[in-house]
Amino acid sequence: QVQLAESGGGSVQAGGSLRLSCAASAHTLSTYYMAWFRQAPGKEREGLGWFQGNGETIYCADSVKGRFTISQDNAKNTLYLQINSLKPEDTAMYYCAANLGYVLHGMCRERDFDYWGQGTQVTVSS
């Protein structure tokens, strides 16, 4: 059973940075496709980026590239999301997710992932 637990969220001012962590159960990062999503109030869950094993990270939108960086530490079974130059519109609940298989033309959609953490809240004030 895959277990995921996010942490690192908080309240920050615009322009600041945060690094979110996702602690995963053993061997998850090397076996499953891993992703970060976020969900703002009243909006659908939005894919930020995904990767598998030691492969390249694929970012889901051009708007994410540059400010968002996904990385991993396999020894610690931990996935990270670094967010720089935070904006008020980044306010959302951030989730990590895992899926065993690859979905053609997918992997940025909520329905393509079976396992989810409980989320960590990020609030950005102007």
Side-chain angles (χ1 to χ4, degrees), residues 10-21:
S11 296
V12 297
Q13 289 191 329
S17 299
L18 279 177
R19 189 177 78 158
L20 309 183
S21 299

Side-chain angles (χ1 to χ4, degrees), residues 70-92:
I70 295 173
S71 62
Q72 65 194 92
D73 186 331
N74 288 340
K76 295 182 178 180
N77 296 311
T78 302
L79 179 67
Y80 300 101
L81 176 66
Q82 177 73 37
I83 314 174
N84 297 326
S85 302
L86 279 156
K87 304 175 181 180
E89 51 264 42
D90 293 322
T91 294

Side-chain angles (χ1 to χ4, degrees), residues 95-111:
Y95 299 90
C96 63
N99 198 65
L100 188 58
Y102 172 74
V103 179
L104 186 64
H105 303 311
M107 307 310 288
C108 288
R109 303 173 300 192
E110 180 180 2
R111 65 177 183 266

Side-chain angles (χ1 to χ4, degrees), residues 41-70:
K43 295 188 177 181
E44 293 185 352
R45 197 164 293 189
E46 172 190 20
L48 299 174
W50 62 272
F51 72 93
Q52 196 278 329
N54 292 318
E56 178 186 3
T57 297
I58 305 300
Y59 293 95
C60 295
D62 289 341
S63 60
V64 174
K65 296 178 183 178
R67 292 196 304 120
F68 292 70
T69 303
I70 295 173

